[in-house]
Amino acid sequence: MPQPLLPHRTIPRRHACGCLLSAAFCCLAGWRAQAAALATDAVELVEVAPGLHVFRGVHEEATAANFGAIANVAVVVGNDSVAVIDSGGSFAWGQRLRQAITGMTPLPVRYLVNSHVHPDHIFGNGAFLADAPEIWGHAKLPAALAARGEYYLGRLREVLGSVATGTSVIAPTHLVSESRELDLGGRVLRLRAHPTAHTDNDLTVLDETTGTLIAGDLLFMERLPAIDGSLNGWLAVLDRLRQTPANRVVPGHGPAVASWPAALDPQERYLRHLQTDLRALIAAGVPMEKAAETAGQTERGQWRLFDDYNARNVVTAYAELEWE
Amino acid sequence: MISRRSLCLTASVLSLVVRTRAARTQDADPWPDIRDALFGDRAIAESDGVVTIEAPKRAYDAAIVPITVHAGISQAADRYIRTVHLIIDKNPAPEAAVFHFTPASGDATFTTRVRVNEYTNVRAVAELNDGSLHMALQFVKAAGGCSAPALKDAEKALADLGRMKLKQPAQVTLGKPNQVQLLISHPNFSGMQFDQISRNYIPAHFIQSVTVRYGDQTVMTIDGNISLSEDPSFHFSYVPMAEAEISVEVIDSDGMRFSQAWPVSPTPSL
């Protein structure tokens, strides 16, 4: 999820719909099937390119029923070792992921890459400690974890209850400030740290062997993108990211795989709509709370969880763009 | 200017309120204690139209909740709003800010953005120059705003600390209240945001006073607190009479001072 376990959800916990605690009860197609699968079965990994397996997260808020597994996760298998890109939203789910990898390959998990600070991407880290992997993150990830980790953990415990047991904040052991290569044996992953966009600590991974970009939350598909860094920054990063020599992409949320770079288009369209709308509204002196009712609304119907995240995006982006 | 006395008073009142609240259950109404601490047994007229409050019934982001207090009377020299206490009943520091106005304000209407920690009444208590008190309130649904992680871009926030921006209307209207917006880049740390690495809370570091002058007249002063949002924003009015500067001085809780001035070039309205 984008800005998971938001503090700011303003819907009363005791009421059913829309609230973090009870999103599961709320009109989400496929929830029951997904919950049942999680409860009884192993994590389902889809091989989207040779040796590159993806778990597809559900388009929901984190709940006990979905184990916080709402983000996509990628597993890349080389000749000597395995890299896991993001670890899911809880220790309990991370353990299931680890089991699924064991069922697939005997090779050791040598690298664990965290695409950014959000809890749905990193809270499974603990399940890999027995592998003693190198844990890679953006150079600004430790500071972001310092500022937010404890808070996210508290929220996770509130929302997942006993399912959160064992989950802890685990910092990266290796940092990337620009780019870095990881060798899995006959297979090189290129890590790239980005300036502030979705967050201030976004990291992408390019699997050069198959030409697959693992974009983390720099790319949302189907589910509304959430801005937790900078709207202008994100658009600038997308311009450069678009040049990446790849032929497919694994988004942070959305299908397991999509074609590159066309997959970027809907998200870029939404962000540009938001930027254009907000610049006009700010210039016209429309206050923040009124802007939240109109900006980006032409995108409504194009995205899952639009009503849950658009107004928040507007508030965040308004506070950024009013300084222009 | 804000006197040292009023700041100390605010601090002691807050600690009193916090202490008294600790003994109560979470659902108890904190208002009687806050009322006693701030206003004693003075009469407070409710909903008499001197001020009205506009706040979202349900906030989009509990760390940035816009609140507008509308003044129902003008700032005439003989009867004007001298002070508005903005109170968020259930916040750890309930008195979010105190706004002081003068006849030079023209209109005591203002907008700011606050953090809201749990579902709460938000109140504006206005004190007129005759000493009478007038209150408006609204219930706001929002939660977690005070402890929500700060700083979407920590490096930029540090680089921009104390930067200000004043948004003026395209056309300045002489002799009438003109509304402007003041933006101040400041993290306004609440002291409730946790640092996982140091295992400590990030110390509170917030804007303590804002003084706005037009020429040599004081238009507005604000006593701030941790309940104001990161990068505080204030819409307020002043009455331009001639070419002069709007100047702003900000002092934060670490004693840092920031000041900036903007020219006002009135073109007479037709």
Side-chain angles (χ1 to χ4, degrees), chain A residues 241-306:
Chain A
L241 195 64
R242 199 175 269 279
Q243 310 307 317
T244 307
N247 47 47
R248 65 175 79 79
V249 62
V250 177
H253 297 270
V257 70
S259 62
W260 181 259
L264 289 173
D265 295 347
Q267 172 179 282
E268 184 164 340
R269 187 198 62 217
Y270 168 71
L271 295 176
R272 289 212 185 280
H273 269 154
L274 208 54
Q275 187 189 51
T276 306
D277 289 355
L278 277 173
R279 282 180 173 158
L281 290 164
I282 290 167
V286 175
M288 177 184 271
E289 60 277 20
K290 292 279 184 290
E293 294 164 11
T294 57
Q297 287 293 328
T298 52
E299 291 279 330
R300 200 161 186 283
Q302 306 292 313
W303 299 95
R304 305 285 290 276
L305 304 183
F306 182 89

Side-chain angles (χ1 to χ4, degrees), chain B residues 29-190:
Chain B
D29 178 6
W31 172 240
D33 288 342
I34 300 169
R35 189 198 191 290
D36 283 355
L38 292 177
F39 306 110
D41 54 6
R42 296 167 66 188
I44 302 179
E46 287 192 38
S47 310
D48 63 353
V50 170
V51 282
T52 53
I53 190 163
E54 182 184 345
K57 289 190 173 57
R58 181 160 286 168
Y60 300 121
D61 183 337
I64 314 180
V65 182
I67 307 279
T68 298
V69 175
H70 296 279
I73 64 170
S74 63
Q75 295 294 90
D78 58 340
R79 185 167 187 257
Y80 62 93
I81 294 172
R82 189 165 62 189
T83 303
V84 179
H85 300 260
L86 182 61
I87 297 162
I88 304 167
D89 283 9
K90 292 207 171 179
N91 267 14
E95 191 173 47
V98 183
F99 292 76
H100 305 273
F101 298 99
T102 68
S105 315
D107 182 345
T109 297
F110 67 89
T111 301
T112 189
R113 299 170 190 164
V114 298
R115 296 172 165 136
V116 174
N117 215 40
E118 55 181 299
Y119 289 22
T120 182
N121 276 319
V122 176
R123 299 166 197 270
V125 179
E127 179 171 353
L128 302 194
N129 60 320
D130 64 11
S132 60
L133 297 171
H134 308 262
M135 178 166 77
L137 70 125
Q138 186 175 325
F139 192 69
V140 174
K141 292 179 175 179
C146 294
S147 52
L151 305 183
K152 297 184 190 309
D153 189 335
E155 200 173 282
K156 187 170 186 300
L158 192 64
D160 287 349
L161 182 72
R163 189 178 150 213
M164 286 186 248
K165 178 166 182 167
L166 187 77
K167 294 191 170 195
Q168 303 189 55
Q171 174 99 31
V172 173
T173 310
L174 285 181
K176 289 185 175 163
N178 282 226
Q179 194 180 65
V180 296
Q181 181 190 12
L182 173 67
L183 286 164
I184 306 169
S185 183
H186 197 290
N188 230 51
F189 286 127
S190 69

